[in-house]
Amino acid sequence: MGSPRFAGGMLAAWFRMKYPHIVIGALAASAPILQFPGLTPCDIFNKITTSVYETAYNANCSVNIGKSWKAFETLAANDAGKKQLGDIFRLCDPINNADDLNQFMNYLEDVYGNLAMTNYPYNSTFLAPVPAYPVRQLCFYLKDLHQNDADLIHSMVSALAVYTNYTGTEKCVDYKYSSSSTTLDNKGWDIQSCNQMVMPFCSNSSETMYRTKAWNLKEYSDNCYKKFHLTPKPYDIILRYGGNNLESVSNIIFSNGLLDPWSGGGVLQAPNNQVHVIILPEGAHHLDLRSSNPSDPASVTEARRMEATIIEGWLNQG
């Protein structure tokens, strides 16, 4: 799991911490500055995401997603099944082997996280064109508990199209990111996460809708060296910015939406009276930074008002 979509908030916080003589203050929206080794449990992102899916329509949604991994593996146990899986989901690249299947399932895990991040109350195109409350829309197709693998997989096709082809214009599902992997947006983040931005991720299938995965720094490091000849520095960010030692920090607003999986690594309690923490119970990823919309929850409108007042106070002090 990795995405540069939250980096602006983190950079804003660290900019104020590092250069308080230059920066008057910072609004760090959806900034998981605690999503680093030893600071936050590695399974928090996937636990929050699962909770979002459990409550979006009904609990059957996350249960079906949890059952789908085995259904995919069973179908892809032979060549005919691999082809069938590729045809059903209209994949740009065929599934030829176990590595392809794993990459496909990794892609689906990214999709679930991205939908939770963009679970806004109106249509958006932030990570992909999606409808209002896209998690609810996806879960509508998974509202019935499926006992049959074939029925489950066909329901998954309709559900995932909420993210992969909401506009109806996509010719195929690019699960290998072959058309976008060369962009600076993706490659830049891959390099950063193999250098300083080492964020541990893990999951347990008994507690989440995800496959069980342990955090393995050696495996992660070996993969980074293979791809970029880089060796990750897992504690570099903590050493540079102090980790959760925020007592001396001032003039930062940390805002977090509780529907945003990244909120688990955010600052949710103020370390002193010069740091402001704003919680948006109905907010997805940095919803308070987006343009005003008639569908905005009241908590988001109030958060923007509070942020403007706090920033005005900083400017008046300066």
Side-chain angles (χ1 to χ4, degrees):
M1 181 69 62
S3 169
R5 312 300 181 177
F6 51 75
M10 301 175 82
L11 294 174
W14 291 331
F15 197 22
R16 166 62 188 176
M17 292 178 193
K18 193 75 172 179
Y19 303 106
H21 58 297
I22 298 174
V23 181
I24 293 175
L27 170 54
S30 298
I33 65 168
L34 304 181
Q35 194 86 33
F36 292 95
L39 302 182
T40 298
C42 60
D43 62 353
I44 191 67
F45 184 100
N46 292 329
K47 280 185 172 180
I48 294 174
T49 304
T50 298
S51 177
V52 171
Y53 282 75
E54 284 175 344
T55 57
Y57 201 99
N58 64 39
N60 288 341
C61 182
S62 59
V63 173
N64 279 322
I65 292 172
K67 292 172 63 177
S68 71
W69 310 117
K70 183 63 176 177
F72 293 142
E73 291 172 349
T74 300
L75 179 59
N78 55 59
D79 290 342
K82 290 183 179 70
K83 183 180 186 307
Q84 185 181 354
L85 189 60
D87 291 343
I88 290 172
F89 281 92
R90 296 174 61 247
L91 303 180
C92 298
D93 294 288
I95 292 178
N96 294 317
N97 50 48
D99 286 342
D100 288 342
L101 178 62
N102 187 58
Q103 193 166 357
F104 170 65
M105 293 194 288
N106 285 341
Y107 169 79
L108 296 186
E109 290 182 340
D110 282 349
V111 167
Y112 298 136
N114 287 348
L115 280 169
M117 289 170 62
T118 59
N119 200 28
Y120 303 132
Y122 46 78
N123 290 22
S124 68
T125 58
F126 176 39
L127 300 182
V130 293
Y133 292 116
V135 174
R136 181 188 301 170
Q137 294 294 319
L138 179 145
C139 286
F140 170 79
Y141 294 103
L142 300 176
K143 64 182 183 298
D144 300 320
L145 194 59
H146 291 285
Q147 302 300 331
N148 179 282
D149 281 359
D151 290 342
L152 173 58
I153 289 174
H154 280 285
S155 293
M156 295 292 294
V157 172
S158 299
L160 289 162
V162 170
Y163 183 86
T164 61
N165 196 17
Y166 176 58
T167 62
T169 60
E170 297 297 325
K171 295 181 180 178
C172 58
V173 175
D174 185 17
Y175 76 96
K176 289 189 174 182
Y177 299 105
S178 57
S179 65
S180 61
S181 59
T182 56
T183 64
L184 291 176
D185 192 46
N186 287 286
K187 281 297 184 186
W189 178 254
D190 285 347
I191 291 171
Q192 277 292 87
S193 63
C194 278
N195 188 6
Q196 300 168 296
M197 302 292 288
V198 181
M199 295 181 164
F201 284 91
C202 64
S203 57
N204 189 320
S205 62
S206 65
E207 298 178 333
T208 71
M209 64 187 194
Y210 289 89
R211 296 170 290 168
T212 295
K213 289 182 182 178
W215 168 248
N216 186 323
L217 178 59
K218 183 181 185 306
E219 182 180 311
Y220 183 86
S221 182
D222 289 347
N223 190 43
C224 285
Y225 192 81
K226 181 180 178 181
K227 288 193 296 184
F228 304 116
H229 281 242
L230 287 172
T231 300
K233 307 177 185 71
Y235 298 102
D236 184 89
I237 291 295
I238 296 174
L239 292 173
R240 286 176 185 272
Y241 301 109
N244 55 7
N245 297 315
L246 303 172
E247 293 80 6
S248 62
V249 172
S250 64
N251 288 18
I252 299 179
I253 303 168
F254 289 103
S255 66
N256 280 285
L258 297 186
L259 300 182
D260 179 14
W262 291 111
S263 65
V267 176
L268 303 178
Q269 292 185 319
N272 60 53
N273 61 9
Q274 296 183 75
V275 171
H276 304 269
V277 170
I278 297 176
I279 303 297
L280 294 73
E282 309 97 338
H285 193 58
H286 59 47
L287 179 54
D288 49 327
L289 292 191
R290 296 180 64 83
S291 300
S292 178
N293 188 287
S295 298
D296 285 329
S299 63
V300 175
T301 303
E302 174 62 11
R304 294 186 184 124
R305 186 198 65 77
M306 293 171 62
E307 290 162 0
T309 300
I310 293 166
I311 293 170
E312 183 180 8
W314 293 339
L315 295 173
N316 289 338
Q317 289 174 5

CSV table of all heavy atoms in Angstrom, one decimal, residues 276-299:
chain,number,residue,atom,x,y,z
A,276,HIS,N,-3.6,22.5,17.0
A,276,HIS,CA,-5.0,22.3,16.9
A,276,HIS,C,-5.4,21.0,16.2
A,276,HIS,O,-4.8,20.8,15.1
A,276,HIS,CB,-5.6,23.5,16.1
A,276,HIS,CG,-5.3,24.9,16.7
A,276,HIS,ND1,-6.1,25.5,17.6
A,276,HIS,CD2,-4.3,25.7,16.5
A,276,HIS,CE1,-5.6,26.6,18.0
A,276,HIS,NE2,-4.4,26.8,17.3
A,277,VAL,N,-6.2,20.2,16.7
A,277,VAL,CA,-6.7,19.0,16.1
A,277,VAL,C,-8.1,19.1,15.8
A,277,VAL,O,-9.0,19.4,16.7
A,277,VAL,CB,-6.4,17.8,17.1
A,277,VAL,CG1,-7.1,16.5,16.5
A,277,VAL,CG2,-4.9,17.5,17.2
A,278,ILE,N,-8.5,18.9,14.5
A,278,ILE,CA,-9.9,19.0,14.1
A,278,ILE,C,-10.3,17.6,13.5
A,278,ILE,O,-9.6,17.1,12.6
A,278,ILE,CB,-10.1,20.1,13.0
A,278,ILE,CG1,-9.7,21.5,13.6
A,278,ILE,CG2,-11.5,20.1,12.5
A,278,ILE,CD1,-9.8,22.6,12.6
A,279,ILE,N,-11.3,17.0,14.1
A,279,ILE,CA,-11.8,15.7,13.6
A,279,ILE,C,-13.1,15.9,12.8
A,279,ILE,O,-14.0,16.6,13.2
A,279,ILE,CB,-12.1,14.8,14.8
A,279,ILE,CG1,-10.8,14.7,15.7
A,279,ILE,CG2,-12.6,13.5,14.4
A,279,ILE,CD1,-9.7,14.0,15.0
A,280,LEU,N,-13.1,15.3,11.7
A,280,LEU,CA,-14.3,15.3,10.8
A,280,LEU,C,-14.9,13.9,10.8
A,280,LEU,O,-14.5,13.0,10.1
A,280,LEU,CB,-13.9,15.7,9.4
A,280,LEU,CG,-13.4,17.1,9.1
A,280,LEU,CD1,-12.0,17.3,9.7
A,280,LEU,CD2,-13.4,17.4,7.6
A,281,PRO,N,-15.9,13.6,11.6
A,281,PRO,CA,-16.5,12.3,11.7
A,281,PRO,C,-17.0,11.7,10.4
A,281,PRO,O,-16.8,10.5,10.1
A,281,PRO,CB,-17.7,12.4,12.7
A,281,PRO,CG,-17.3,13.6,13.5
A,281,PRO,CD,-16.6,14.6,12.5
A,282,GLU,N,-17.5,12.6,9.5
A,282,GLU,CA,-18.0,12.1,8.2
A,282,GLU,C,-17.1,12.4,7.0
A,282,GLU,O,-17.5,12.3,5.9
A,282,GLU,CB,-19.4,12.8,7.9
A,282,GLU,CG,-20.4,12.7,9.0
A,282,GLU,CD,-20.5,14.0,9.8
A,282,GLU,OE1,-19.5,14.7,9.8
A,282,GLU,OE2,-21.5,14.2,10.4
A,283,GLY,N,-15.9,12.7,7.4
A,283,GLY,CA,-14.9,13.1,6.3
A,283,GLY,C,-14.0,12.0,5.8
A,283,GLY,O,-13.5,11.2,6.6
A,284,ALA,N,-13.9,12.0,4.5
A,284,ALA,CA,-12.9,11.1,3.9
A,284,ALA,C,-11.6,11.9,3.7
A,284,ALA,O,-11.3,12.8,4.5
A,284,ALA,CB,-13.4,10.6,2.5
A,285,HIS,N,-10.7,11.5,2.8
A,285,HIS,CA,-9.4,12.1,2.7
A,285,HIS,C,-9.4,13.6,2.4
A,285,HIS,O,-9.9,14.0,1.3
A,285,HIS,CB,-8.6,11.3,1.6
A,285,HIS,CG,-7.1,11.5,1.7
A,285,HIS,ND1,-6.4,11.3,2.8
A,285,HIS,CD2,-6.3,12.0,0.7
A,285,HIS,CE1,-5.1,11.6,2.5
A,285,HIS,NE2,-5.0,12.0,1.3
A,286,HIS,N,-8.8,14.4,3.3
A,286,HIS,CA,-8.8,15.8,3.2
A,286,HIS,C,-10.0,16.5,2.5
A,286,HIS,O,-9.9,17.4,1.7
A,286,HIS,CB,-7.4,16.3,2.5
A,286,HIS,CG,-7.2,15.8,1.1
A,286,HIS,ND1,-8.1,15.9,0.1
A,286,HIS,CD2,-6.0,15.4,0.6
A,286,HIS,CE1,-7.5,15.4,-1.0
A,286,HIS,NE2,-6.3,15.1,-0.7
A,287,LEU,N,-11.2,16.1,3.0
A,287,LEU,CA,-12.4,16.7,2.4
A,287,LEU,C,-12.5,18.1,2.7
A,287,LEU,O,-13.0,18.9,1.9
A,287,LEU,CB,-13.6,15.9,3.0
A,287,LEU,CG,-15.0,16.4,2.6
A,287,LEU,CD1,-15.1,16.5,1.0
A,287,LEU,CD2,-16.1,15.5,3.2
A,288,ASP,N,-11.9,18.6,3.8
A,288,ASP,CA,-11.9,20.0,4.2
A,288,ASP,C,-11.1,20.9,3.3
A,288,ASP,O,-11.3,22.1,3.2
A,288,ASP,CB,-11.4,20.2,5.6
A,288,ASP,CG,-10.1,19.5,5.9
A,288,ASP,OD1,-9.9,18.4,5.4
A,288,ASP,OD2,-9.3,20.0,6.8
A,289,LEU,N,-10.2,20.3,2.5
A,289,LEU,CA,-9.4,21.1,1.5
A,289,LEU,C,-10.1,21.2,0.2
A,289,LEU,O,-9.6,22.0,-0.7
A,289,LEU,CB,-8.0,20.4,1.4
A,289,LEU,CG,-7.0,20.5,2.5
A,289,LEU,CD1,-5.6,20.1,2.1
A,289,LEU,CD2,-7.0,21.9,3.2
A,290,ARG,N,-11.1,20.4,0.0
A,290,ARG,CA,-11.8,20.5,-1.3
A,290,ARG,C,-12.7,21.6,-1.4
A,290,ARG,O,-13.0,22.3,-0.4
A,290,ARG,CB,-12.5,19.1,-1.6
A,290,ARG,CG,-11.6,17.9,-1.7
A,290,ARG,CD,-12.4,16.6,-1.9
A,290,ARG,NE,-13.1,16.7,-3.2
A,290,ARG,CZ,-12.6,16.4,-4.3
A,290,ARG,NH1,-11.3,16.0,-4.4
A,290,ARG,NH2,-13.3,16.4,-5.4
A,291,SER,N,-13.1,22.0,-2.6
A,291,SER,CA,-14.0,23.1,-2.8
A,291,SER,C,-15.4,22.9,-2.1
A,291,SER,O,-15.8,21.7,-1.9
A,291,SER,CB,-14.3,23.3,-4.3
A,291,SER,OG,-13.1,23.6,-5.0
A,292,SER,N,-16.0,24.0,-1.6
A,292,SER,CA,-17.2,23.9,-0.9
A,292,SER,C,-18.3,23.3,-1.9
A,292,SER,O,-18.3,23.5,-3.1
A,292,SER,CB,-17.7,25.3,-0.5
A,292,SER,OG,-19.0,25.2,0.1
A,293,ASN,N,-19.1,22.4,-1.3
A,293,ASN,CA,-20.2,21.7,-2.1
A,293,ASN,C,-21.4,21.7,-1.3
A,293,ASN,O,-21.4,21.4,0.0
A,293,ASN,CB,-19.7,20.3,-2.4
A,293,ASN,CG,-20.6,19.6,-3.4
A,293,ASN,OD1,-21.7,19.2,-3.1
A,293,ASN,ND2,-20.1,19.5,-4.7
A,294,PRO,N,-22.6,21.8,-1.9
A,294,PRO,CA,-23.9,21.7,-1.1
A,294,PRO,C,-24.0,20.4,-0.4
A,294,PRO,O,-24.8,20.4,0.6
A,294,PRO,CB,-24.9,21.9,-2.2
A,294,PRO,CG,-24.3,22.6,-3.3
A,294,PRO,CD,-22.8,22.2,-3.3
A,295,SER,N,-23.4,19.4,-0.8
A,295,SER,CA,-23.5,18.1,-0.1
A,295,SER,C,-22.5,17.9,1.0
A,295,SER,O,-22.6,16.8,1.7
A,295,SER,CB,-23.3,16.9,-1.2
A,295,SER,OG,-24.2,17.0,-2.2
A,296,ASP,N,-21.7,18.9,1.3
A,296,ASP,CA,-20.7,18.8,2.4
A,296,ASP,C,-21.4,18.5,3.7
A,296,ASP,O,-22.4,19.2,4.1
A,296,ASP,CB,-19.9,20.0,2.5
A,296,ASP,CG,-18.8,20.1,1.4
A,296,ASP,OD1,-18.3,19.1,1.0
A,296,ASP,OD2,-18.5,21.2,1.1
A,297,PRO,N,-21.0,17.6,4.6
A,297,PRO,CA,-21.5,17.4,5.9
A,297,PRO,C,-21.3,18.7,6.7
A,297,PRO,O,-20.3,19.5,6.5
A,297,PRO,CB,-20.7,16.3,6.5
A,297,PRO,CG,-20.2,15.6,5.3
A,297,PRO,CD,-19.9,16.6,4.3
A,298,ALA,N,-22.1,18.9,7.7
A,298,ALA,CA,-21.9,20.1,8.6
A,298,ALA,C,-20.6,20.2,9.3
A,298,ALA,O,-20.0,21.2,9.5
A,298,ALA,CB,-23.1,20.1,9.6
A,299,SER,N,-20.1,19.0,9.6
A,299,SER,CA,-18.8,19.0,10.3
A,299,SER,C,-17.6,19.5,9.4
A,299,SER,O,-16.7,20.1,9.9
A,299,SER,CB,-18.4,17.5,10.8
A,299,SER,OG,-18.3,16.7,9.7
